[in-house]
Amino acid sequence: GPGFVQGEPVPGYREEPKVAPDSIVPTFAAMKLLVDNWRWAGVPFYVRSGKHLPKRVTEIAVAFRQAPHLPFRRAGLEVVEGDVLSMHIQPDEGITLKFSAKVPGPSMKIRQVAMDFSYGATFGAEDASPYERLILDCMKGDQTLFDRADGVEGAWALMDPLLSVWSSDRSIKFPNHDSGTWGPKESEELIRRDGRRWRLP
């Protein structure tokens, strides 16, 4: 639906030029995925992506499990925010590790702190856009930054059945969301069922 992104009004997807007013093209997805092998057994992967979100960002965040005991329980701290490793893919490439640390001094105060690595700040701004870099790599025969065929086929094997159901059954009611929000309330319910919440980048 219509809304505001960074203070600017934006139309809803169905109001965009050349888009059918009854279009059912997916513009947002939120999923919980599980990998059926010994290494990742019991580890949920939460994925969300969409158009006209509040911010254009791609990141991978690893939320570490809480320790089975709280080392600061004697100080009256029942909840300590979990450690998170964030890999920023775009627009600002880098890595952030957030963890809890005791504030220096006699009182027991815990605060979350961050260790940041910014690619741009460390190595300077890049002259080429990401697409220019890929075209140059393609010309040089360097496949490092390209997806492998089996990875692309695996992604389609996962998504194609879902997209087929959406396109074949027009009676399915899908949740809507306004531009400038992080998605419909159903995406919040998806992750809240597991006692978790989405991170805000």
Side-chain angles (χ1 to χ4, degrees), residues 106-181:
S107 62
M108 183 56 72
K109 291 184 180 172
I110 305 297
R111 190 172 81 197
Q112 195 167 57
V113 295
M115 293 178 67
D116 286 317
F117 161 69
S118 168
Y119 193 90
T122 303
F123 301 115
E126 229 180 281
D127 294 336
S129 75
Y131 289 113
E132 290 170 326
R133 187 179 354 158
L134 286 176
I135 290 170
L136 179 61
D137 286 350
C138 187
M139 292 167 61
K140 293 189 322 189
D142 182 352
Q143 298 180 17
T144 307
L145 298 177
F146 289 85
D147 286 332
R148 286 181 17 174
D150 57 349
V152 174
E153 289 170 4
W156 275 110
L158 177 68
M159 295 308 301
D160 207 33
L162 299 173
L163 296 172
S164 296
V165 169
W166 278 104
S167 61
S168 65
D169 188 353
R170 306 267 304 191
S171 68
I172 295 174
K173 299 291 182 210
F174 65 90
N176 202 359
H177 74 285
D178 293 335
S179 295
T181 65

Side-chain angles (χ1 to χ4, degrees), residues 26-41:
T27 58
F28 180 88
M31 296 179 280
K32 174 185 174 181
L33 303 170
L34 295 167
V35 179
D36 189 17
N37 68 19
W38 66 268
R39 183 184 305 275
W40 298 107

